[in-house]
Amino acid sequence: MEKTEAAKKTKWYSIREAAEYLDVGEPTIYRWMRESKITFRKVGDSTRFWQEDLDSVMQVFHSAKDLDQARAVCPVCRHDDLVEGKVRGAGLVYFVPKKTKFWTLKDSFVETTARICARCGAIAWFGDTAKLVKLRSQAQQKETDETARPLEEPQP
């Protein structure tokens, strides 16, 4: 029982430890605190950080090849056990971008897939980006055609 309680105990980081953990200088930590870029806690006169606070400061920028790997991890708890499926309403639920007008609604639908995290239950929803690119280029082409069309002069 003691072992599980010790494992659950949150590790507190001082400003110096936080700077070492993030591999930045202490002045940077102070600046982030002033700019509200990092969450911190005050215990009396001491400033303390949880590891989650420090980890949330780091931003991850994925390359295009890492996109599939990013979709395989829960955006909330970072767990990797995701179950793939679809989100349904009265029928299939689709994303329809603004400024897309087609003869049938189905032509402007962007099909979606979803993954639910087996740990926390968060649902990540993904759309067909190739279809979105196609719809946007069609909408831009339509706008270009409409603006390039000469105005008809009224008949006397």
Side-chain angles (χ1 to χ4, degrees), residues 10 23 28 36 39 43 46 66 69 77 81 97 107 121 134 139 150-151:
T10 303
D23 196 23
T28 302
S36 299
T39 303
V43 181
S46 299
D66 293 337
Q69 292 174 348
C77 71
D81 186 11
D107 291 338
K134 180 181 171 188
L151 294 175

Side-chain angles (χ1 to χ4, degrees), residues 23-39:
D23 196 23
V24 296
E26 289 181 41
T28 302
I29 298 291
Y30 285 111
R31 181 171 40 85
W32 288 347
M33 290 168 55
R34 276 192 315 274
E35 295 172 353
S36 299
K37 289 186 177 180
I38 190 168
T39 303

Side-chain angles (χ1 to χ4, degrees), residues 3-63:
K3 209 171 198 179
T4 57
E5 286 179 20
K8 288 182 182 179
K9 186 177 177 186
T10 303
K11 169 137 173 54
W12 291 96
Y13 289 82
S14 67
I15 291 176
R16 178 176 293 140
E17 292 169 331
E20 289 174 11
Y21 179 77
L22 294 173
D23 196 23
V24 296
E26 289 181 41
T28 302
I29 298 291
Y30 285 111
R31 181 171 40 85
W32 288 347
M33 290 168 55
R34 276 192 315 274
E35 295 172 353
S36 299
K37 289 186 177 180
I38 190 168
T39 303
F40 61 95
R41 282 131 176 101
K42 295 295 278 185
V43 181
D45 289 339
S46 299
T47 302
R48 296 287 184 250
F49 304 90
W50 285 345
Q51 184 173 352
E52 294 85 25
D53 300 334
L54 302 175
D55 290 340
S56 69
V57 173
M58 293 183 242
Q59 294 180 354
V60 178
F61 297 93
H62 296 285
S63 67

